[in-house]
Amino acid sequence: MINEKQIKDKLYEEFIRPTDKEKNFIGVEIEIPIVNLDKKAVDFNVVHEVTYKFKKEFGDFKNDGIDYDGNVYSIKNDKNDDIVCYDCSYNNIEFAMGREKDLFSINDRFNEYYTFTKECFEEHNHTLTGMGINPYRKYNNHIPIASERYLMLYHHLQSTEAYENIQFHDYPEYGMFSSASQVQLDVSKEKLVQTINVFSKIEPVKALLFSNSVLIDDNDKFICFRDVLWEYSTHGVNPHNIGMYDVELKDINDLQAYLESLNMYCVMRDGSYINFPSMNLLDYFRQETIIGEKYCNGKYKKVTIKPELDDINYLRPFKFINLTFRGTVEFRSVCTQPINESMSVAAFHLGLKDKLDELDEIITNDTSLYHKGYTAGELRKLLIQSEIPPVIDKNEVCRLSKSIVDLASEGLKERGLGEEIFLNPLYERIKKQTNPAREMIKLLNNKNNIEEIIENYGNI
């Protein structure tokens, strides 16, 4: 049987050791809803045609993923590591930009890819838009991409009956209509714990600045419904696997212990994913055998596996701040933004990355949001709601937000590349005391039609 020291050593090697190398790259991933303007389901034949045209236009992209039906769902440019793929279903396209030293290089390529792709979709009265939840989700066919990973993922999200006394929402298909804007930054091992601690504290401010997930027609209580979708799904069976860190880490040992507290729900054997009920990592390795399910010819069948140390490679938490196997820190709590403001997310995190002491001091001295008897996690839950509670003064919180964005701007200015320009949309939001979700709700309440909003949020 695998002992705990072996598990601890493997976790360290996979998640913490890679941060030893001195690097300073930026990675950006932007998921974007596909919308059929005929108010019908996204036509997957159109999606496949657009993929073909994209490959033809940008000749360096090669097939990187083909589903069981022979359709291409991922293409990659090996020269710069850019990937264009479909996330969970063919209702959601993702532009995963290869790592770069500056935001302008990423932005230029993203704009080129996005403009071409959007024009191709518009030839078929489809379009792309910058929202965290597909505004036409109710028209779509929520069918997972027929690949090992996405069939496994959907099967896991549907397996609510495996758990007792846990409250789940009614949207196991949420990965097919929700979209995020994610940033990966290189963080040294020495700064790892401080980065997680300090950035965790500003998640409430990020909710104020970036919320853009409105569940139109179904729920008007939240402006970042993505948080709810993750928390009340099977990913949230163990709260440590999603959302915020609810403890302040003291050192790498604390971080290591946190990793050990996470749950696993899948592994691979012979090229096939095996699902099993979510269980603690250490408990998994204490078992002689595990009974799971694997997809085979359209059905799921029971299989028995024996835990192997390399199964740690399939540990996949979905926290707001994640450690990756690449030695990066991934920030993943932000909704997809209006397209012409996409780089504001990366600029915000990049600008603050080397300003941790100053950022912590701002939070320590603040009384407009913090030090009111609420944890950062509780504040985040309050601030993703449509109505800001009376205990919070909007004017004071906007001043706090501005001081944090000012600090991000200072960090970017010190890089000397002019990247602080990407923060301009955040200053506008602070000035108007709004964010994309609140703006959308205001427009809808003023009888603007959703088609106009889809167009505006999709413009580059």
Side-chain angles (χ1 to χ4, degrees):
M1 186 178 290
I2 298 164
N3 62 50
E4 284 197 19
K5 183 179 185 307
Q6 290 174 293
I7 298 167
K8 292 174 185 290
D9 290 346
K10 181 69 171 175
L11 284 169
Y12 187 91
E13 290 301 318
E14 295 296 335
F15 286 99
I16 298 172
R17 177 81 69 191
T19 62
D20 278 345
K21 298 177 182 177
E22 190 66 32
K23 311 179 292 292
N24 195 26
F25 288 102
I26 312 155
V28 172
E29 300 171 16
I30 303 173
E31 302 162 2
I32 299 171
I34 303 170
V35 176
N36 184 341
L37 295 172
D38 290 328
K39 294 186 177 179
K40 296 178 181 177
V42 168
D43 186 336
F44 294 167
N45 289 325
V46 169
V47 171
H48 302 320
E49 181 179 328
V50 171
T51 307
Y52 172 79
K53 286 183 177 179
F54 188 99
K55 274 185 62 184
K56 189 174 181 181
E57 176 72 14
F58 301 97
D60 289 329
F61 280 83
K62 307 300 179 188
N63 291 351
D64 189 50
I66 299 175
D67 70 20
Y68 292 152
D69 300 319
N71 301 307
V72 177
Y73 66 86
S74 178
I75 54 178
K76 182 177 181 180
N77 184 334
D78 287 331
K79 293 184 178 179
N80 55 24
D81 288 336
D82 289 347
I83 297 173
V84 178
C85 60
Y86 297 94
D87 186 65
C88 290
S89 79
Y90 290 111
N91 298 309
N92 204 28
I93 191 169
E94 177 178 332
F95 297 91
M97 311 305 297
R99 65 181 193 169
E100 289 287 353
K101 291 281 190 178
D102 71 283
L103 286 178
F104 287 104
S105 296
I106 293 173
N107 187 57
D108 288 347
R109 295 206 308 275
F110 169 72
N111 286 347
E112 186 179 10
Y113 299 158
Y114 177 83
T115 300
F116 178 83
T117 305
K118 186 168 182 280
E119 288 174 355
C120 288
F121 273 114
E122 288 175 346
E123 292 174 6
H124 301 275
N125 209 32
H126 285 54
T127 194
L128 305 177
T129 192
M131 297 181 186
I133 289 181
N134 193 315
Y136 281 2
R137 63 184 174 79
K138 64 184 179 183
Y139 304 116
N140 284 340
N141 294 319
H142 294 128
I143 302 169
I145 293 170
S147 71
E148 275 295 319
R149 180 189 173 199
Y150 291 121
L151 289 169
M152 174 278 297
L153 190 57
Y154 188 41
H155 189 55
H156 169 60
L157 290 170
Q158 286 182 301
S159 65
T160 53
E161 72 285 346
Y163 310 95
E164 295 181 358
N165 303 318
I166 298 179
Q167 179 184 357
F168 296 106
H169 58 62
D170 297 323
Y171 308 99
E173 76 284 4
Y174 72 89
M176 304 178 209
F177 64 75
S178 66
S179 304
S181 180
Q182 298 164 1
V183 183
Q184 293 195 30
L185 299 176
D186 289 316
V187 175
S188 68
K189 186 169 73 173
E190 291 70 30
K191 293 285 187 179
L192 204 49
V193 169
Q194 187 185 17
T195 297
I196 291 171
N197 284 338
V198 177
F199 269 99
S200 291
K201 293 176 185 177
I202 62 167
E203 286 296 342
V205 175
K206 287 165 63 178
L208 285 170
L209 291 172
F210 294 109
S211 285
N212 192 26
S213 294
V214 180
L215 200 67
I216 297 171
D217 297 333
D218 267 22
N219 190 304
D220 59 0
K221 295 181 180 178
F222 296 93
I223 57 173
C224 187
F225 201 74
R226 285 185 67 257
D227 283 19
V228 178
L229 292 170
W230 286 95
E231 181 174 355
Y232 294 100
S233 74
T234 54
H235 283 316
V237 168
N238 177 354
H240 280 203
N241 274 53
I242 50 93
M244 295 176 57
Y245 293 81
D246 54 1
V247 295
E248 181 148 0
L249 306 173
K250 293 181 180 179
D251 52 28
I252 288 292
N253 290 331
D254 266 9
L255 177 56
Q256 175 97 15
Y258 201 96
L259 293 173
E260 292 163 17
S261 76
L262 298 174
N263 274 25
M264 293 181 61
Y265 61 89
C266 71
V267 295
M268 284 195 96
R269 293 289 185 273
D270 301 321
S272 295
Y273 270 105
I274 313 294
N275 275 103
F276 46 84
S278 181
M279 67 177 72
N280 172 257
L281 170 70
L282 296 179
D283 287 343
Y284 171 81
F285 284 107
R286 292 187 184 109
Q287 310 298 314
E288 288 288 346
T289 57
I290 300 287
I291 297 175
E293 295 180 304
K294 82 170 183 177
Y295 182 81
C296 186
N297 297 324
K299 297 179 181 179
Y300 287 89
K301 68 176 186 178
K302 298 284 186 183
V303 293
T304 300
I305 59 170
K306 184 176 181 179
E308 298 174 1
L309 190 58
D310 283 344
D311 290 342
I312 284 175
N313 295 332
Y314 301 101
L315 175 62
R316 291 288 187 272
F318 294 99
K319 299 195 70 61
F320 288 167
I321 303 174
N322 258 353
L323 289 178
T324 76
F325 296 130
R326 294 179 289 274
T328 61
V329 172
E330 181 180 58
F331 301 92
R332 45 175 297 112
S333 65
V334 176
C335 315
T336 296
Q337 301 295 289
I339 297 301
N340 61 2
E341 301 176 358
S342 292
M343 289 302 131
S344 64
V345 182
F348 178 82
H349 292 87
L350 179 62
L352 293 173
K353 187 188 83 163
D354 294 323
K355 293 289 183 180
L356 298 176
D357 291 334
E358 297 94 325
L359 181 56
D360 203 20
E361 184 177 355
I362 289 174
I363 297 163
T364 299
N365 294 330
D366 173 72
T367 56
S368 66
L369 185 60
Y370 303 95
H371 310 295
K372 288 182 175 290
Y374 295 92
T375 66
E378 290 167 340
L379 288 169
R380 169 91 183 188
K381 288 179 185 293
L382 291 175
L383 295 175
I384 63 167
Q385 297 181 34
S386 301
E387 298 296 328
I388 293 179
V391 69
I392 296 171
D393 184 300
K394 290 182 183 179
N395 294 322
E396 290 184 5
V397 169
C398 281
R399 282 193 284 272
L400 168 65
S401 299
K402 184 177 183 299
S403 67
I404 291 175
V405 176
D406 283 343
L407 184 62
S409 180
E410 182 183 322
L412 293 173
K413 286 175 181 176
E414 288 175 4
R415 287 168 53 85
L417 300 174
E419 295 159 317
E420 60 274 11
I421 193 173
F422 293 117
L423 295 174
N424 288 346
L426 302 187
Y427 284 112
E428 279 298 305
R429 295 175 193 181
I430 293 167
K431 180 180 177 182
K432 297 177 181 177
Q433 296 189 356
T434 191
N435 55 43
R438 295 192 185 282
E439 197 63 24
M440 183 190 308
I441 292 169
K442 184 178 83 171
L443 290 169
L444 290 172
N445 288 340
N446 289 339
K447 307 305 180 185
N448 291 67
N449 62 55
I450 188 63
E451 290 79 15
E452 292 177 26
I453 302 171
I454 289 170
E455 181 180 358
N456 289 338
Y457 278 42
N459 288 336
I460 202 158

